[in-house]
Amino acid sequence: MKRLSTPGAALTLILFFSAIVRVFFFQQLAATDLVSVPILDSQSYHDWAAQLVSGNPGWGETYWMGPLYPHLLALVYLLFGVGGMAISALQLLLSIVNIALVFSLARDFQAQGGNRWTPVLAATIFALYGAPVFYAGLILMATVVTTLYLLIARQALVAWRKNSTSSWVWLGLMVGIAGLARGNVLLLLAT
């Protein structure tokens, strides 16, 4: 086997392996009750999204959960039908994007020097961690929130380096959007 000569080639291999694992997981998950019988938060998200799809915005009720994920789920339901595995497929794809984001973030943090293989190690550790794969298959916002947090970290680095008004505004907008999923992220705006 030819030795991988660049971190980029190693990332490609990691992403390919991760995609195979996620396809296998997706096939196995489809046959379980975890998808066909959502429970707890998954049931709440599903009910809220189904209510939105049916035309009932639920006004007059208190949002006790962040509204971003149920609205994203409603959009997926509008496009692919209520229920089904479309949201799991989307989240499993996002979990692969997250591996690339971890790689990119690690590479950018050490842009001034360091071992060029550190981003590969970071991406590999994240890719091998089972929780993101498992939660990506369920109707839960963990994958979407992880993606948002990684994008926020990347934009924070960009804003710090460029120190331009537009880069800071983009960071604020991203934190605001993430706040629609998890309100506690709004504390980042105060820093």
Side-chain angles (χ1 to χ4, degrees):
M1 180 176 191
K2 185 178 178 182
R3 189 172 171 214
L4 295 174
S5 60
T6 66
L11 176 63
T12 302
L13 184 63
I14 293 165
L15 293 175
F16 178 74
F17 174 75
S18 297
I20 290 171
V21 167
R22 282 153 178 80
V23 166
F24 180 74
F25 175 73
F26 185 78
Q27 291 174 336
Q28 298 299 310
L29 181 69
T32 69
D33 288 340
L34 289 171
V35 174
S36 59
V37 184
I39 57 172
L40 301 173
D41 286 356
S42 295
Q43 184 66 48
S44 297
Y45 290 131
H46 169 77
D47 291 345
W48 190 349
Q51 192 177 27
L52 289 169
V53 169
S54 72
N56 181 358
W59 305 126
E61 298 175 17
T62 303
Y63 283 175
W64 58 280
M65 299 171 97
L68 180 70
Y69 187 75
H71 284 79
L72 173 67
L73 186 58
L75 178 63
V76 171
Y77 283 175
L78 277 172
L79 295 173
F80 301 102
V82 175
M85 296 290 292
I87 191 67
S88 296
L90 174 65
Q91 291 178 163
L92 287 165
L93 284 172
L94 270 179
S95 73
I96 293 171
V97 168
N98 289 346
I99 295 167
L101 284 171
V102 166
F103 176 88
S104 175
L105 200 55
R107 183 192 62 216
D108 290 348
F109 267 118
Q110 68 159 20
Q112 303 303 325
N115 187 328
R116 69 185 188 131
W117 293 98
T118 301
V120 173
L121 179 62
T124 302
I125 290 169
F126 189 80
L128 294 176
Y129 184 49
V133 178
F134 178 73
Y135 287 120
L138 304 177
I139 300 175
L140 293 171
M141 71 173 165
T143 303
V144 173
V145 169
T146 300
T147 304
L148 288 171
Y149 287 177
L150 289 169
L151 289 171
I152 287 169
R154 185 147 170 67
Q155 184 60 32
L157 185 60
V158 168
W160 183 262
R161 288 186 176 157
K162 284 187 178 179
N163 200 20
S164 68
T165 302
S166 64
S167 62
W168 288 106
V169 167
W170 278 109
L171 177 60
L173 287 172
M174 293 171 77
V175 170
I177 290 168
L180 292 172
R182 289 242 192 242
N184 57 355
V185 77
L186 295 176
L187 293 172
L188 291 174
L189 291 175
T191 58

